Amino acid sequence: MADTFAIHAAGEAQNVDNLSRWRTKPSDVLLLQGCQADIDRLDTHSLMPLDDVSAHHPRTSKGWIATAIFLIAIVLGATRIFPLPIAFLAGAVAMIVTRCLSEEEAYAAIDWRLMVLIGSMMAFGVAMEQTGAAHWLAGHVITIIGPLGGYAVMCAFGLLTIVSTQPMSNQAAALVVLPIAIEASRQLGLDPRTMVIAVTLAASLSFLTPLEPACLLVYGPGRYRFFDFVRVGLPLTVITHAITMQIVPLVWPLMAAN
């Protein structure tokens, strides 16, 4: 028989001692333990398996090694002894060599859909530059918002990135907007680096919807509704964007150095 160890209902965990008298309802989540044959005999019309943790065996003895590798990679990248991508790639290899991860686990952890998406968006950005689409779009942005000044243009590209990052990943949104922002900064005589930083930071402000992968991780288990993200994310996005647009020009001045 499969034993019930815990139950999550009505937004909270129930007392384990009372589970024998608990009447399950739709949307209740049960934590079960038993042999695979007993689990397979469960009524799948009444219960829907959500996850199987039987194959998960934490290697606690390797924890300190993984922590040390992670910290070393950060130090090597932050101090510029090695470029950050190379430092973390070396750290990933070290994780496999020290058996903190197996080759199969490392391969399974790669989100190939995201890799294809980023590769496609990089090609998309190059195509926008080579076909003149970025120049054309940047010209329209300058015509409409350029008279308000470089700061207004930077804020406009930040808002465009925030809107774009809601239905797509933040990496894809940044790769789409960056060529246009860089071209606009060149035409206005602004420092392209400032635009790059502004767009990159704005791409992380995907709080308005649960469509961002990080939000999707908590959307189901937390039993959130779509408009919970809008209600909390809208003021958070406005505040964060306002602070970002104030700080970026202070650290990276808008006007290009002569």
Side-chain angles (χ1 to χ4, degrees):
M1 290 291 293
D3 297 322
T4 304
F5 278 80
I7 187 170
H8 187 277
E12 60 182 14
Q14 303 299 324
N15 191 335
V16 177
D17 297 334
N18 299 329
L19 287 180
S20 59
R21 297 188 297 273
W22 184 265
R23 182 166 181 162
T24 58
K25 302 174 183 177
S27 79
D28 289 351
V29 180
L30 306 178
L31 175 62
L32 306 178
Q33 182 180 23
C35 65
Q36 189 62 50
D38 292 332
I39 299 296
D40 293 338
R41 284 198 297 267
L42 291 174
D43 183 5
T44 55
H45 295 287
S46 302
L47 297 175
M48 182 179 68
L50 296 179
D51 196 11
D52 180 7
V53 297
S54 59
H56 180 61
H57 303 290
R59 306 181 187 94
T60 53
S61 61
K62 300 284 187 178
W64 69 272
I65 300 177
T67 303
I69 293 173
F70 179 68
L71 293 176
I72 291 172
I74 291 178
V75 171
L76 291 176
T79 56
R80 298 184 180 180
I81 296 177
F82 293 106
L84 196 60
I86 294 178
F88 275 95
L89 181 60
V93 173
M95 290 283 191
I96 297 175
V97 171
T98 57
R99 305 306 298 172
C100 294
L101 280 176
S102 66
E103 294 87 343
E104 294 78 10
E105 290 170 333
Y107 186 82
I110 300 175
D111 191 340
W112 293 107
R113 294 174 301 174
L114 183 59
M115 296 296 104
V116 173
L117 176 64
I118 293 176
S120 300
M121 287 298 109
M122 290 178 67
F124 183 74
V126 173
M128 290 189 66
E129 288 189 3
Q130 293 184 352
T131 60
H135 181 83
W136 181 79
L137 289 172
H140 280 72
V141 172
I142 292 173
T143 301
I144 299 171
I145 306 175
L148 300 177
Y151 181 78
V153 172
M154 181 186 68
C155 292
F157 278 114
L159 289 174
L160 176 60
T161 308
I162 291 173
V163 173
S164 300
T165 197
Q166 305 308 319
M168 65 178 73
S169 71
N170 46 17
Q171 298 96 332
L175 289 170
V176 169
V177 178
L178 276 174
I180 309 171
I182 293 173
E183 182 62 32
S185 65
R186 289 172 178 167
Q187 294 186 28
L188 289 171
L190 304 176
D191 191 344
R193 182 178 59 174
T194 307
M195 290 292 184
V196 170
I197 297 297
V199 169
T200 303
L201 293 178
S204 301
L205 306 182
S206 50
F207 311 133
L208 291 174
T209 67
L211 302 180
E212 168 68 18
C215 296
L216 285 175
L217 290 175
V218 299
Y219 181 71
R223 299 185 181 277
Y224 293 108
R225 294 174 297 177
F226 188 92
F227 284 98
D228 289 338
F229 287 83
V230 178
R231 185 172 62 252
V232 177
L234 180 59
L236 179 61
T237 300
V238 172
I239 293 171
T240 310
H241 182 57
I243 295 174
T244 301
M245 293 300 103
Q246 292 295 325
I247 294 177
V248 168
L250 295 178
V251 182
W252 296 275
L254 273 168
M255 298 307 297
N258 295 327

